[in-house]
Amino acid sequence: MSKQKLKVGLIFGGRSGEHEVSLNSARSVFAAMDKDKYDVTLIGISKTGQWLISGDAVLALTGETNQQSAMLLPDPTEKSLLQVSSDTETRSVAPIAELDVVFPVMHGTFGEDGAIQGLFEMADLAYVGSGVVGSAVGMDKTIFKAVMVANNIPVLPYVSTTRSAINADIDAVMTQITTDLNYPVFIKPANLGSSVGISKATTATELRDGLLEAARWDRRIVVEQGIDAREVEVSVLGNDDPIASIAGEIAPKRDFYDYEAKYVTDDSELIIPANLDAVQMDAIRALAVEAYKAIDAAGLSRVDFLLDKQTGELWINEINTLPGFTDISMYPKLWAATGISYSDLIDKLIEFALARKQDRDATVRSFDVPEA
Ligand SMILES: Nc1ncnc2c1ncn2[C@@H]1O[C@H](COP(=O)(O)OP(=O)(O)O)[C@@H](O)[C@H]1O
Ligand SMILES: [Mg+2]
């Protein structure tokens, strides 16, 4: 008799600047999933936030007319994805697919920042990746740095500021920055990815423009000491006892690894393994695991470092809790080079999701008030 297949909801797209990146990741993951093992429901979230399922949700997102809406309720007694009838007058819902576990292959806002993870928690669903806190801290560059500092993990000197401070007195903000840091500096919105809204400033004019630009994208902004750096990345996998892959290196062909370099020209080179001596390699892998644990990440994360070309100093740049996941992305390529294939990686992530759920279920949630 054949074993019951595990019912997996693959969720992708979403209201994020990294919507397209997510579609690419999801396409690769879906293609590599063992269909003898998994019964997969594709759930595409449109750029306006509509949840869609259909014969091919990937196609539905690219303009197919026959779109079928779906929803997931925060009610934990409702164990299914619900289908929403397209008739707006007699709008009704019906269970369409049970889900044992969901895999959000989403990057950036709402998918990687703890928002959708909150929904999964409410719905009492097992899901791949970090929980609400790990996702939120990994996403927020300001809070992330504070957590690293608290754990004695090296981050570059930085100044954090806000849109309101910039609007109130940009000159004061600039004075603070130029007092604490030296040009060049990197100006980053706290909660975006894919280099959106990020700029490098080498003059006061560029700093002013960069602050105003970043303030369009987020309420909070981080300004960071810029260095001439090599970019080294490590993949981490697991829950409470995570393991680190060997490190890889990105050699951007442009001034920095901006959106263009990441997704448009695509001519940046991945060097695996990174050209590091054994001591550096071990140090970087250990630091990746430390950072992962410090933010309470789970399932997977890619930990990105900056290695100062002049001094050899190592700094943590950021953690991506749902890193790019096409079969040629850095995260899976680092695992492939460390001995875990792309499809094995997917199996492991689903196992970790189920284990994390079991761990969560062991948590006492109600307290019987003793009678006086
Ligand atoms: N402090 C820095 N010094 C030098 N280069 C930096 C610095 N911060 C960012 N960069 C460059 O900008 C890119 C994007 O910054 P990052 O913080 O990784 O943002 P994102 O979350 O958008 O990927 C990095 O990959 C790197 O090329
Ligand atoms: Mg980055």
Side-chain angles (χ1 to χ4, degrees):
M1 223 184 76
S2 71
K3 238 180 94 207
Q4 267 251 305
K5 290 189 199 178
L6 197 69
K7 297 184 274 294
V8 184
L10 195 64
I11 311 188
F12 52 89
R15 271 195 292 155
S16 159
E18 291 164 279
H19 181 97
E20 284 75 15
V21 187
S22 161
L23 298 192
N24 289 336
S25 294
R27 222 173 265 128
S28 287
V29 171
F30 181 56
M33 285 177 90
D34 184 346
K35 308 302 183 300
D36 290 330
K37 245 199 269 187
Y38 305 116
D39 186 357
V40 186
T41 303
L42 294 176
I43 305 161
I45 304 181
S46 76
K47 282 186 174 176
T48 52
Q50 197 185 7
W51 290 44
L52 301 168
I53 40 151
S54 74
D56 184 344
V58 174
L59 252 189
L61 287 179
T62 56
E64 197 194 18
T65 45
N66 180 28
Q67 294 187 346
Q68 180 68 56
S69 297
M71 59 165 77
L72 184 66
L73 292 184
D75 178 344
T77 61
E78 191 66 66
K79 287 284 177 207
S80 302
L81 186 73
L82 302 173
Q83 182 172 8
V84 185
S85 75
S86 50
D87 186 335
T88 44
E89 299 211 339
T90 60
R91 194 174 274 263
S92 61
V93 295
I96 177 163
E98 276 178 51
L99 299 172
D100 297 319
V101 56
V102 286
F103 190 162
V105 190
M106 299 169 77
H107 314 301
T109 39
F110 300 113
E112 191 173 353
D113 59 4
I116 203 164
Q117 288 75 15
L119 176 62
F120 300 150
E121 291 282 338
M122 293 293 290
D124 202 23
L125 268 174
Y127 57 96
V128 170
S130 297
V132 173
V133 167
S135 302
V137 176
M139 185 79 188
D140 187 301
K141 294 184 196 300
T142 307
I143 307 280
F144 173 74
K145 285 193 196 297
V147 173
M148 293 300 106
V149 170
N151 283 275
N152 294 315
I153 300 173
V155 286
L156 281 163
Y158 68 99
V159 169
S160 58
T161 186
T162 57
R163 178 189 289 159
S164 54
I166 291 169
N167 287 342
D169 190 350
I170 193 168
D171 291 319
V173 172
M174 287 175 61
T175 303
Q176 192 204 342
I177 292 164
T178 49
T179 306
D180 291 1
L181 310 173
N182 304 308
Y183 291 117
V185 296
F186 277 78
I187 307 138
K188 311 180 181 183
N191 275 286
L192 280 178
S194 292
S195 305
V196 175
I198 294 186
S199 56
K200 178 181 174 179
T202 49
T203 63
T205 311
E206 284 174 359
L207 177 57
R208 186 181 299 270
D209 291 349
L211 286 169
L212 292 171
E213 174 63 13
R216 289 179 55 226
W217 295 95
D218 204 339
R219 282 179 41 245
R220 289 181 305 127
I221 291 114
V222 177
V223 184
E224 199 178 285
Q225 182 59 57
I227 57 170
D228 186 14
R230 289 167 62 189
E231 299 195 48
V232 180
E233 306 188 340
V234 177
S235 296
V236 181
L237 175 69
N239 290 342
D240 287 349
D241 297 304
I243 54 169
S245 72
I246 56 167
E249 182 166 352
I250 290 168
K253 297 260 166 67
R254 296 165 61 87
D255 184 29
F256 73 95
Y257 200 37
D258 59 7
Y259 190 92
E260 185 92 1
K262 281 176 181 166
Y263 308 115
V264 184
T265 55
D266 206 21
D267 59 357
S268 297
E269 211 185 322
L270 304 189
I271 305 159
I272 301 173
N275 185 14
L276 302 169
D277 63 41
V279 175
Q280 282 175 314
M281 183 62 93
D282 287 349
I284 217 164
R285 293 173 79 172
L287 211 49
V289 168
E290 256 184 76
Y292 187 92
K293 287 182 169 175
I295 70 161
D296 193 31
L300 74 163
S301 285
R302 199 191 67 225
V303 186
D304 297 353
F305 297 86
L306 295 169
L307 183 65
D308 194 310
K309 283 184 190 166
Q310 269 81 53
T311 66
E313 277 172 295
L314 188 62
W315 312 92
I316 288 225
N317 179 32
E318 61 165 342
I319 294 190
N320 290 286
T321 53
L322 283 169
F325 210 103
T326 69
D327 48 5
I328 56 159
S329 298
M330 187 62 121
Y331 184 85
K333 279 183 91 168
L334 288 175
W335 279 121
T338 313
I340 302 176
S341 74
Y342 189 70
S343 63
D344 284 350
L345 194 54
I346 293 170
D347 291 344
K348 284 184 193 296
L349 288 173
I350 289 172
E351 282 163 27
F352 282 125
L354 296 171
R356 179 89 160 174
K357 172 73 165 66
Q358 226 173 33
D359 203 2
R360 242 193 299 147
D361 288 346
T363 307
V364 177
R365 302 219 185 265
S366 63
F367 176 71
D368 292 326
V369 182
E371 284 178 35

